[in-house]
Amino acid sequence: MFRPADSEPAETLRVVREAMGTAVTMAFRSPVTDDLVDGAYARIEQIEASFSTFRPDSEISRISRGDLAESDASAEVQGVLQSCASLRVRTNGWFEFEPMDKDGRRLDPAGYVKGWAVEQAMDSLTASGIADVFISAGGDIVARSSSAPWRIGIQHPHDQTATAATLLISNEAVATSGLYERGAHIWGKTGSPIAGLLSVTVVGPELGIADAAATALFAAGDSLTPVLSRFPGYEALVITDNDEVRWTTGLSSKLASSAD
C-alpha cells in the first residue's frame, strides 16, 4: 500500500477524491487546470460505470447475469476481458477474473481494471502536456516525471505508521497486493488463504499488468521466479509473514537508501 513520502516538495499539489471504492490521489509538481483534473477523474468514473461488479447496470454485471452477450459489449469491455484472459494464461491460472461463487462463475476483472483505469486517467493528463504527476488508487500507482523521481513508500503490513521500503519511481507503475485492509480476499488455487506472504509489490511499465501480476504472485505464495519470469521488464518486492523484505535484483536500483 502507498504511503505519502514526507520529502516531496512543498509546492506539490495534491487532489484526493473517492472513486472505485477507494481514495484516488493525484499529485502534481507543475500547474494544472481544474478541467484537466476533472477530466482525469471523469475517465475513472466512466470506466467504473462499465466495469463495476456492484452496479447492476454495468456491462460487466449484465454479462455476468446473461443479459448482455460479451460479443455485444463495447469494444473497450471486450478488449479488457481479452486482456484478462491473456493474463490468466500468462500467470498459469493464478490471476483469475471469473471466480466461482454460490451462483456459479461470475465476471470480476477488478484485479486488472483498477490499475488499467488509473493508467487511462494518467494518459488523459500526459496527452495534455502534464509531465510531472502521479496517481494513486489504494495500492496502485502510476508516476510520470521529467525531473526528480517520486518517492513511493511501501507501508509495512503490521504497522500503518511504518514504511517497509521506499521506491524512487519516475515513469513506471507500482502495484501492491496483500491483506492490508480487506482481509483474506485473495485466495490460492486450493481455495485457502495464502501462507508465507503479507504483501507483494510489482514495479513495471503498465499498471494494469503490474496489478494483475501482483495479485498472481500473492496468490501463488512465496515464490517469485516462476510467475515473474513471464513478465519481462517487471520487478517485485515481497514482505513475508516473518517480516522479511526481499526483492528481485532489478529492483535494487529503484530502492532508496537512507542517504537518498
Side-chain angles (χ1 to χ4, degrees):
M1 182 179 178
F2 162 70
R3 295 186 69 247
D6 296 331
S7 58
E8 288 300 339
E11 64 269 21
T12 298
L13 169 68
R14 291 180 183 270
V15 181
V16 183
R17 298 181 188 174
E18 291 292 321
M20 299 186 294
T22 189
V24 177
T25 300
M26 298 185 186
F28 303 87
R29 286 181 178 154
S30 55
V32 61
T33 66
D34 290 343
D35 285 347
L36 287 179
V37 174
D38 290 344
Y41 279 106
R43 179 64 177 129
I44 293 175
E45 291 168 358
Q46 177 190 37
I47 292 169
E48 185 177 15
S50 294
F51 290 93
S52 173
T53 59
F54 299 101
R55 298 186 181 188
D57 61 340
S58 74
E59 288 187 72
I60 288 298
S61 293
R62 291 167 60 204
I63 294 170
S64 286
R65 289 196 307 269
D67 296 342
L68 176 67
E70 185 177 329
S71 59
D72 292 331
S74 65
E76 190 163 79
V77 167
Q78 290 187 54
V80 164
L81 293 179
Q82 288 167 9
S83 295
C84 288
S86 175
L87 284 164
R88 178 166 57 192
V89 173
R90 198 170 174 182
T91 61
N92 196 27
W94 289 112
F95 172 79
E96 180 55 76
F97 69 104
E98 295 181 289
M100 292 289 294
D101 63 15
K102 61 182 178 61
D103 298 318
R105 298 192 75 85
R106 59 183 175 83
L107 279 178
D108 188 357
Y112 171 79
V113 166
K114 183 158 73 83
W116 176 76
V118 173
E119 192 94 46
Q120 292 287 304
M122 176 63 80
D123 287 347
S124 74
L125 292 168
T126 57
S128 299
I130 303 299
D132 287 273
V133 55
F134 83 70
I135 306 176
S136 168
D140 292 340
I141 298 164
V142 61
R144 299 289 182 265
S145 175
S146 61
S147 54
W150 293 92
R151 296 176 65 90
I152 307 297
I154 306 302
Q155 178 183 307
H156 196 287
H158 285 156
D159 185 352
Q160 293 186 357
T161 66
T163 299
T166 300
L167 299 171
L168 303 176
I169 301 298
S170 292
N171 295 290
E172 291 175 292
V174 181
T176 295
S177 185
L179 305 182
Y180 289 96
E181 296 177 345
R182 293 173 57 193
H185 66 287
I186 302 173
W187 304 84
K189 287 182 178 178
T190 62
S192 302
I194 296 87
L197 296 180
L198 295 177
S199 74
V200 174
T201 297
V202 172
V203 179
E206 296 183 39
L207 186 52
I209 293 176
D211 196 1
T215 299
L217 284 165
F218 191 82
D222 192 7
S223 178
L224 285 176
T225 305
V227 173
L228 201 62
S229 64
R230 300 187 176 200
F231 292 87
Y234 291 78
E235 305 292 339
L237 178 148
V238 302
I239 304 174
T240 69
D241 55 7
N242 61 0
D243 290 339
E244 180 185 5
V245 180
R246 298 190 286 108
W247 56 89
T248 54
T249 302
L251 198 64
S252 297
S253 62
K254 303 180 192 302
L255 288 168
S257 68
S258 57
D260 290 323

